Amino acid sequence: MAPRGDAPVGDSPSRTLVLGFDADRVIVQCGPNCPAVLGHDPGGLIGRPATDLVADDAKAELEGLLEAAAAGQERTAVLTARHADGRGVDAVVTAQPMVGDGTAGLLYVRVALPPSERFQDPSLMRRALMDDALTRFGQSLDLDQTAKGIVDVVVPHYCNVSSVLILESLVAADEVHEETGSAVMRRISVASEDEDPAWTATFPVGEVLVFPEGTPYREVLDTARPVLLRHVERRDAGAIAEKWRRNPVGHLLSDVSMVLLPMIARDTLLGFIACTRVGGHRRFDAYDVEIGMEFAARAAIVIDNARLFSRERATALALQRSLLPNRLSAPATVEVRHRYLPGSKLVEVGGDWYESIALPGARVALIVGDVAGHGVRAAVTMGRLRTALHTLANLELPPADALHVMHELMIELGEQEPHFATCVYAVYDATTGKLEVASAGHLPPLLAAPDGANAYLEVPPAPPLGVVGGAAIESREFAVEDGSVFVIYTDGLVENRGRDIDDGLARLRSLFTAETVGRPMEDLAKATLAGVYADEHRDDIAVLLARLHRMPADRMASWPLPTDPASVRRARGLVCSKLTEWGLSDLVYTTELLASELVTNALRYAPGGIELRLLLERTLTLEVLDRSAALPRLRHALDDDENGRGLLVVSQLAHRWGTRRTQAGKVVWCEQVVPGVPPEPDEPIPSWPGENHHR
């Protein structure tokens, strides 16, 4: 029998004597190993007071243990036991109450084994290493924790010092796997029984090295067989230290016994376990090697599983993070914040994504989507959709048209492997304060006004992308009050196993009140994820928040122009006056030339009136609106062509240019860099808890 909470006798380098005592605290039972523990004959102790087992200065403390046992309580103390030869022996004594015939309790007296008697019984070593070792170090799929569990089992049941080394190629994802003796190794765990810092200093954890030729470490890697050094003499240890160029090795390995146990899984050498017994202990023999190899075979399976899990998890997370945007862009009047959390430890990769894309003309596309399912497949599909949608946004398709193209793409992808996704796509125009929203099977966006009034926007319903049948995707336009907060999200934020989705939607809405909606965006973003971190079974979550402000009136100007050739001259004059007012005289000549080309192009090919517009943000944007749906294209005119050079001039002079359709026709625009103002914001993105999940 053993006290509750203690390991079995065979699992510890100690001996335990069990004695029974009665109500008078007299020994009435004695275990047969009494001579090995205290040197007494078992029969000679029966009938004697239990206090005779300890030295005089420990009798009072033992009495306290016996009194506690009589009161039904278990107590443990470290006392000095009295050996038969008169010497004192440090012992861990436990008094445990009993209910039985004439026995009031049991005393467990545990003493350390003499060094010369350690590691003598192969059956005890096998039991300690094999019986429950797998449950000790096999519960974790983390490579470092697994290695630590291995050395904690080996020390002290098999040796005094142990370390685990594995191939560096198994840890580093980009390394080429190599099993030869010249392979690069990494030491991932070290343990010593006496916790001597010299061992961890000489053999540091995390060290990456190549073992020199002529050392036993190189031999085990070359042969993939165990290497037994029954007795490492001082000169042999010195030779190893000299070849290794590591002087402390010679001192630590002098007069030790050492065995190196290769770890092989699926016919592949993963590394080895180095086991050392210091001087004064029994040397390793062939039977020890057999026991050690059996343990190393089990350890190799656990190491391989942990290695595969770590590799697959790292690959999946790297893929997930590479597919999500590294930064978000928006006009200067729109403040955007985001949060992304992968699934819990059980589900770490998913198909949620978010996007904020600054569009020409002080507009921004705000997107959140969710691919059904989890894992690498969902993440890959998410990457395809996000790339396609980013392209469609840059083509300046309206939200409904962009989602319709995405729907056709999902149907095509579904022919290879069924997939569907939900998505909400919104475009905010800071010049008009209008928000156009389209949704494909997604949860409704939330719009909170500056006074705290908030509501979920009623967007025309449509089936998820990739689902055949149902209503067509349509968009709806909303007038947005200046300073409102727009929130789009995935279902993981408002729905989980223990909460109904209606409750989650009500909770999200309650976060944006008159008292809170004016708070900094970082605080609002943080509040949306409050309470979700503790959910071990949560879905992945993507949230995008945008505070929408209109562009100041003094930063934009618009003029209607008649369909008259004189409009070209008038356009140049209007541009010159406005740029001079804005203090951008350096851009007058170039902008006049760009305005001339774009207005001339509109007069030549578009019926009806045109409109000229200037927008000053981080860049200077010149727009010409006409009533023709035909989009111009860039071409290289021949030497004898009279036309076709206008857009070429625009492309050479402008920072960038493009076109987009409107309900009444089209817009041709071009941007110029404002001197001293970077075209993109250079302020760092604020850090936040959980950012490392996707950075």
Side-chain angles (χ1 to χ4, degrees):
M1 299 178 63
R4 294 191 300 271
D6 285 351
V9 177
D11 285 4
S12 178
S14 63
R15 285 185 178 145
T16 302
L17 171 63
V18 183
L19 305 107
F21 61 91
D22 60 12
D24 296 327
R25 301 168 190 174
V26 174
I27 298 174
V28 295
Q29 296 176 0
C30 183
N33 61 339
C34 185
V37 178
L38 295 178
H40 293 282
D41 179 68
L45 287 181
I46 295 178
R48 295 175 58 181
T51 53
D52 289 350
L53 295 172
V54 298
D56 293 339
D57 57 353
K59 291 183 182 296
E61 194 167 359
L62 179 58
E63 286 282 358
L65 297 182
L66 298 175
E67 289 179 4
Q73 300 176 356
E74 182 178 318
R75 290 288 187 271
T76 300
V78 178
L79 306 176
T80 302
R82 180 176 294 167
H83 198 271
D85 59 11
R87 60 186 173 89
V89 180
D90 290 336
V92 178
V93 180
T94 299
Q96 189 179 86
M98 290 287 291
V99 178
D101 298 333
T103 304
L106 296 177
L107 277 179
Y108 296 89
V109 182
R110 178 172 293 179
V111 299
L113 283 175
S116 59
E117 297 183 22
R118 292 277 303 281
F119 316 120
Q120 283 193 348
D121 192 337
S123 63
L124 294 182
M125 282 192 296
R126 182 181 293 275
R127 177 188 175 192
L129 295 179
M130 306 301 176
D131 279 2
D132 62 345
L134 186 62
T135 59
R136 295 191 197 179
F137 63 81
Q139 294 177 345
S140 173
L141 287 175
D142 180 81
L143 196 58
D144 294 329
Q145 291 296 324
T146 299
K148 184 179 184 303
I150 290 174
V151 296
D152 287 344
V153 171
V154 173
V155 178
H157 307 303
Y158 185 73
C159 60
N160 306 106
V161 182
S162 179
S163 60
V164 176
L165 297 99
I166 64 172
L167 295 170
E168 174 67 9
S169 59
L170 303 181
V171 181
D174 299 329
E175 293 291 333
V176 178
H177 184 67
E178 187 178 6
E179 296 184 16
T180 65
S182 60
V184 180
M185 306 295 296
R186 178 183 292 189
R187 188 178 295 104
I188 57 176
S189 186
V190 176
S192 61
E193 188 176 14
D194 57 359
E195 298 182 356
D196 185 355
W199 289 98
T200 54
T202 306
F203 306 100
V205 175
E207 180 185 19
V208 178
L209 73 162
V210 176
F211 288 106
E213 295 184 3
T215 61
Y217 309 103
R218 186 67 171 264
E219 182 181 350
V220 70
L221 294 175
D222 283 332
T223 64
R225 295 178 177 273
V227 175
L228 171 62
L229 302 175
R230 288 182 52 83
H231 183 212
V232 182
E233 297 183 355
R234 183 175 297 275
R235 64 174 182 276
D236 298 327
I240 296 175
E242 182 178 356
K243 293 175 181 177
W244 202 350
R245 297 181 181 179
R246 192 169 294 190
N247 293 332
V249 172
H251 171 71
L252 291 176
L253 297 187
S254 295
D255 197 32
V256 303
S257 182
M258 184 167 62
V259 63
L260 306 178
L261 306 171
M263 294 186 294
I264 301 174
R266 296 185 296 173
D267 298 326
T268 301
L269 177 66
L270 306 180
F272 63 88
I273 307 173
C275 303
T276 304
R277 291 178 183 173
V278 299
H281 293 78
R282 190 178 72 83
R283 300 174 182 176
F284 286 108
D285 58 20
Y287 196 74
D288 292 326
V289 175
E290 180 182 344
I291 297 174
M293 282 303 298
E294 187 176 350
F295 174 79
R298 298 188 181 188
I301 295 174
V302 178
I303 286 286
D304 192 48
N305 290 338
R307 189 261 307 182
L308 290 175
F309 174 78
S310 298
R311 179 70 61 86
E312 292 177 2
R313 178 175 178 270
T315 301
L317 290 180
L319 173 65
Q320 172 95 359
R321 293 164 184 166
S322 66
L323 295 176
L324 291 171
N326 290 325
R327 57 175 312 201
L328 303 177
S329 59
T333 58
V334 177
E335 186 180 4
V336 179
R337 289 294 182 272
H338 67 282
R339 288 294 185 269
Y340 175 80
L341 280 184
S344 64
K345 294 181 179 179
L346 301 178
V347 184
E348 293 207 36
V349 181
D352 291 14
W353 88 94
Y354 55 91
E355 193 69 78
S356 174
I357 308 170
L359 301 176
R363 298 175 304 124
V364 59
L366 304 169
I367 308 168
V368 162
D370 183 5
V371 176
H374 303 93
V376 175
R377 291 183 180 179
V380 170
T381 302
M382 175 268 287
R384 291 176 175 177
L385 295 183
R386 177 179 167 263
T387 302
L389 202 52
H390 201 287
T391 302
L392 295 174
N394 286 326
L395 290 175
E396 303 189 61
L397 290 181
D401 294 347
L403 290 184
H404 177 72
V405 176
M406 293 288 290
H407 174 66
E408 297 295 331
L409 175 62
M410 285 296 289
I411 292 178
E412 181 179 348
L413 293 176
E415 295 177 356
Q416 303 173 359
E417 184 175 353
H419 273 302
F420 70 89
T422 65
C423 184
V424 60
Y425 187 145
V427 173
Y428 175 69
D429 190 338
T431 63
T432 62
K434 298 294 181 65
L435 179 70
E436 185 178 3
V437 185
S439 176
H442 206 82
L443 291 170
L446 176 66
L447 184 63
D451 60 359
N454 59 68
Y456 289 104
L457 300 181
E458 296 183 1
V459 182
L465 304 175
V467 176
V468 180
I473 301 175
E474 299 180 12
S475 63
R476 179 168 294 175
E477 195 172 73
F478 301 89
V480 178
E481 188 176 350
D482 196 51
S484 297
V485 176
F486 181 64
V487 185
I488 47 180
Y489 51 92
T490 56
D491 57 357
L493 180 67
V494 296
E495 184 180 23
N496 59 33
R497 295 184 179 183
R499 181 178 60 193
D500 185 75
I501 190 171
D502 291 334
D503 295 335
L505 291 172
R507 170 196 167 274
L508 178 62
R509 188 174 178 180
S510 67
L511 298 177
F512 299 89
T513 63
E515 293 76 20
T516 61
V517 73
R519 295 170 59 190
M521 290 290 286
E522 279 297 312
D523 293 346
L524 293 177
K526 181 179 179 180
T528 60
L529 295 186
V532 304
Y533 293 93
D535 186 0
E536 296 183 355
H537 301 279
R538 68 171 182 267
D539 195 0
D540 41 344
I541 298 172
V543 186
L544 192 67
L545 302 93
R547 179 167 278 136
L548 309 176
H549 287 283
R550 296 189 62 174
M551 193 172 180
D554 60 352
R555 289 290 175 172
M556 57 183 179
S558 177
W559 306 277
L561 297 175
T563 54
D564 186 336
S567 296
V568 177
R569 180 179 179 182
R570 174 171 169 76
R572 289 198 299 266
L574 293 172
V575 166
C576 178
S577 299
K578 181 55 67 173
L579 292 185
T580 303
E581 178 184 337
W582 285 343
L584 300 177
S585 301
D586 293 343
L587 297 179
V588 169
Y589 177 77
T590 304
T591 309
E592 284 182 342
L593 182 56
L594 292 172
S596 297
E597 295 295 341
L598 295 183
V599 171
T600 300
N601 189 73
L603 290 174
R604 183 177 182 85
Y605 297 104
I610 60 178
E611 181 180 350
L612 176 67
R613 188 162 67 167
L614 276 178
L615 306 174
L616 178 59
E617 208 190 21
R618 295 190 185 95
T619 58
L620 177 65
T621 303
L622 172 68
E623 296 182 342
V624 174
L625 297 78
D626 60 47
R627 297 182 181 179
S628 172
L631 299 180
R633 61 183 181 88
L634 181 67
R635 66 184 182 91
H636 293 276
L638 300 177
D639 292 340
D640 55 350
D641 288 345
E642 296 183 2
N643 302 313
R645 296 178 178 83
L647 289 182
L648 182 61
V649 173
V650 172
S651 66
Q652 295 295 321
L653 295 179
H655 173 62
R656 61 173 183 161
W657 74 279
T659 63
R660 68 176 181 272
R661 286 191 172 93
T662 64
Q663 293 180 352
K666 70 174 181 294
V667 176
V668 183
W669 57 269
C670 61
E671 285 184 354
Q672 297 180 78
V673 177
V674 177
V677 179
E680 297 291 340
D682 55 359
E683 63 269 12
I685 298 176
S687 60
W688 46 273
E691 183 180 14
N692 60 320
H693 285 293
H694 77 295
R695 291 284 179 188

